[in-house]
């Protein structure tokens, strides 16, 4: 084992998060939840689109440039 690798005993906040690390974790969790709420709200608001354009031709090949 290398001497410069951290061990569980040397990590100060292994059992509990304190200070700025705790705030960072909670900030990430809250931002993730807010993004989920915004996504669900947008999906429910724009989910049923009834003004689609009917296409009768199929796309054969797309030219590559």
């Amino acid at each position: 084992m290398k001497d410069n690798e951290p061990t569980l005993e040397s990590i100060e906040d292994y059992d509990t998060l304190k200070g700025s690390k705790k705030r960072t974790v909670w900030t990430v969790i809250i931002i993730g939840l807010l993004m989920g709420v915004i996504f669900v709200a947008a999906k429910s608001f724009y989910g049923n689109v009834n003004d689609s354009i009917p296409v009768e031709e199929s796309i054969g090949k797309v030219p590559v440039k």
Side-chain angles (χ1 to χ4, degrees):
M1 184 194 289
K2 295 181 181 178
D3 292 331
N4 59 356
E5 292 182 4
T7 62
L8 294 180
E9 291 81 18
S10 67
I11 298 175
E12 296 170 0
D13 58 354
Y14 176 69
D15 291 327
T16 59
L17 288 176
K18 296 177 184 172
S20 66
K21 288 183 182 181
K22 188 173 186 176
R23 282 192 301 275
T24 302
V25 169
W26 278 110
T27 302
V28 169
I29 291 171
I30 289 172
I31 288 173
L33 289 173
L34 286 174
M35 287 173 53
V37 167
I38 291 169
F39 176 76
V40 168
K43 179 110 172 124
S44 67
F45 187 70
Y46 293 110
N48 266 342
V49 178
N50 296 326
D51 62 346
S52 62
I53 300 172
V55 177
E56 298 186 15
E57 297 178 15
S58 64
I59 299 174
K61 287 188 175 181
V62 177
V64 179
K65 291 185 179 184

